[in-house]
Amino acid sequence: MVDRVLEVEADTGRAFTRGNALVCDISRTPTDGFDAVPEEQRVLIGDTHAAVTADGLDGEDVDLAAEVTRTDLPEIRRALDSLAIHDSDAVLVVAGLGDATGSGAGSVLVEELQGTYDEPLYALGVLPADDDGGRAALNAARSLRSIVPTADSTLTFDREMWPVRSDGDDDDPAIRALATRVATLFAAGELDADAVAENAMDSSDLIRTLDPGGIASIGYASTDVQPDERGVLARLLAWFRSDDDADETTDAAKVKGLVRQAAGSRLTTPAEVSSAERALVVLSGPPSELSRRGFESARQWLEQEADTVEILAGDDPRPRSSTLEAVVLFSNVTDVPRVDELQSRAVDTQDALAAESSATGDGATGEHETAVESPDDE
C-alpha cells in the first residue's frame, strides 16, 4: 500500500511524502517486494530474535511483534532520523491491523512517534476481511483499542468491503483505490506555481478536520475532462463568469454531482456519514472545471447529508490534469458497523480461546482476557 501511494504521487505529480517514506518489517531476510520505496528506506527488525524466522512472525503472535519492536526501537529511530519529519505537516503510520506485525508493531510505533514528534500523528489501519479468521478480528480489535486513543486520528480501510487479490498483483485495484484516495487527500494544497485557486486547500484544513480524533473514512469520485491549457489570466477570468452562463450551470451540476457521488461511494470503511463530527471536501482538477457555484451547492448539500455545519472545503487546481476529482473526508464517525462486527467477533474468539486453554489445562489466556470489551460496553 505504501508503494502504491508513492507511485500515485509520482504519476500525478503530487507532493505528498516528498520521498519521506519508511517501511518496517519483522523478519530475518530483507523484503524486496517494493518498487517505489528505496532499499535504504526499508528497515528490518527482529532479525536477531530467536523466535523470528525467515518468513517473519507467526501471524497470531501480536505480543511478540510488540516485544521485537520495542527492543529494536533504537534501529527504527536511527532510520527515522534520515527523514525530514520536522519539515512535514504530519506523520502517517500505515499498518495491517489483522496480522501480528501490523497490530503489534503498529501499536508500538504509533505510541513511540506520538511521544517523539510535535507534528500530528495519524494512523491508516487496514481492517481484516472475514475470511482472515477470528484471530485476525481479535488482533484488529486489540490494536484499535490501542491506536485510536493514541493517534490524532485513525483512517481505516476495510478489506471486507475492498477485497484484495491473493495473487500478489502489484496493481491490485483495491490497493490502487486506497492509494489514490490517500494521495489526493493529503497532497491537496501543494499548488502548481501557475495555478489559480479561489478556495485554496492547505494542511491546516486537513488537520482541523481530523482534530476531533476517532475513526475517519474517505470517499472519492472522478471523471475525465479536458486539460486546461489556457494562460493564467484566462483561467482567472473564468472564475468571474456570470451566474447565468450556460457553461457555468453545466459545470456547477457536474461538480455537485461528483461530490455527491464521492460521499455516496464506497468509503474506505463503510460508515453512517450523519455520525461524522466534521467533514472536508476537496475538489481537484483543471481550474476551468472548478465551478464556484457547484462547489458551494455541493458544500450545502454535504452539510445536510452529514448533519453538521463543521464542513471545510477547498479546491486543489491541477492545470495539467485531465481528471476532475472529488475527495470527501468524514472525521470522527461513530456509527461504523464494521468495527462493531470486528469487536463482536473478537469477543467470541477470545471466549473460545479461553475455553480451549481451560480444556487443555494451559490456564488463562493472559493478556487476551481483557484485550477487548463487548460492543455494548462503553
Side-chain angles (χ1 to χ4, degrees):
M1 288 186 175
V2 172
D3 219 41
R4 295 293 84 73
V5 168
L6 298 185
E7 287 183 353
V8 170
E9 179 184 8
D11 292 345
T12 59
R14 286 186 160 89
F16 168 32
T17 69
R18 301 181 187 275
N20 290 298
L22 190 73
V23 296
C24 178
D25 191 25
I26 300 177
S27 179
R28 285 187 177 273
T29 57
T31 301
D32 58 4
F34 293 95
D35 297 317
V37 181
E39 185 174 351
E40 62 272 16
Q41 291 173 219
R42 309 173 202 169
V43 180
L44 188 69
I45 63 173
D47 51 323
T48 61
H49 197 289
V52 176
T53 70
D55 295 326
L57 293 172
D58 178 349
E60 299 180 352
D61 203 338
V62 175
D63 296 324
L64 176 59
E67 174 193 330
V68 167
T69 306
R70 289 193 179 94
T71 300
D72 285 358
L73 275 176
E75 182 67 24
I76 297 173
R77 293 190 188 106
R78 281 193 291 271
L80 287 167
D81 287 341
S82 67
L83 305 182
I85 292 180
H86 293 295
D87 293 331
S88 302
D89 295 307
V91 179
L92 179 68
V93 176
V94 183
L97 304 186
D99 60 29
T101 298
S103 181
S107 299
V108 172
L109 285 175
V110 166
E111 181 180 0
E112 167 70 14
L113 296 174
Q114 184 67 285
T116 302
Y117 300 107
D118 294 329
E119 291 76 11
L121 188 285
Y122 305 125
L124 173 57
V126 182
L127 304 181
D130 286 341
D131 289 346
D132 293 328
R135 177 70 78 164
L138 180 58
N139 289 345
R142 292 181 62 188
S143 53
L144 282 172
R145 286 181 55 79
S146 171
I147 290 174
V148 173
T150 305
D152 289 294
S153 186
T154 303
L155 295 94
T156 54
F157 178 70
D158 179 22
R159 286 184 54 244
E160 182 65 23
M161 175 62 68
W162 296 87
V164 176
R165 292 175 179 168
S166 60
D167 57 8
D169 188 343
D170 287 342
D171 197 29
D172 186 290
I175 296 178
R176 174 68 63 168
L178 172 66
T180 298
R181 284 157 172 74
V182 170
T184 305
L185 175 66
F186 281 94
E190 299 297 334
L191 302 177
D192 294 322
D194 61 346
V196 177
E198 179 154 304
N199 302 292
M201 264 287 301
D202 62 33
S203 60
S204 65
D205 295 314
L206 185 60
I207 291 171
R208 180 180 170 186
T209 303
L210 293 173
D211 186 62
I215 290 176
S217 192
I218 310 171
Y220 172 88
S222 66
T223 186
D224 293 335
V225 295
Q226 292 297 318
D228 191 350
E229 298 178 351
R230 299 172 300 168
V232 175
L233 179 59
R235 293 201 300 270
L236 182 60
L237 292 175
W239 285 102
F240 299 100
R241 289 180 294 187
S242 61
D243 287 344
D244 57 357
D245 188 298
D247 290 337
E248 169 65 8
T249 301
T250 303
D251 290 345
K254 181 194 301 182
V255 167
K256 182 178 180 179
L258 197 65
V259 172
R260 294 185 64 165
Q261 183 181 342
S265 68
R266 282 196 299 172
L267 302 179
T268 51
T269 295
E272 178 55 57
V273 299
S274 62
S275 72
E277 182 170 346
R278 294 180 183 176
L280 170 70
V281 56
V282 180
L283 196 66
S284 175
S288 61
E289 301 289 334
L290 306 181
S291 162
R292 287 180 300 154
R293 279 206 305 141
F295 200 74
E296 286 305 315
S297 179
R299 180 175 178 173
Q300 292 172 9
W301 172 84
L302 193 59
E303 285 180 356
Q304 297 176 347
E305 189 74 9
D307 194 25
T308 176
V309 295
E310 292 283 344
I311 305 287
L312 294 180
D315 50 67
D316 182 30
R318 300 282 168 180
R320 288 171 288 278
S321 176
S322 60
T323 304
L324 180 63
E325 302 169 280
V327 179
V328 181
L329 169 67
F330 295 104
S331 172
N332 194 26
V333 287
T334 55
D335 188 349
V336 191
R338 182 63 182 156
V339 171
D340 294 338
E341 292 171 9
L342 286 171
Q343 289 179 329
S344 179
R345 191 171 186 186
V347 170
D348 292 342
T349 300
Q350 183 173 270
D351 291 344
L353 290 172
E356 179 183 342
S357 178
S358 176
T360 57
D362 292 336
T365 56
E367 188 175 344
H368 289 300
E369 284 192 296
T370 57
V372 297
E373 297 175 355
S374 166
D376 295 330
D377 293 335
E378 291 295 330

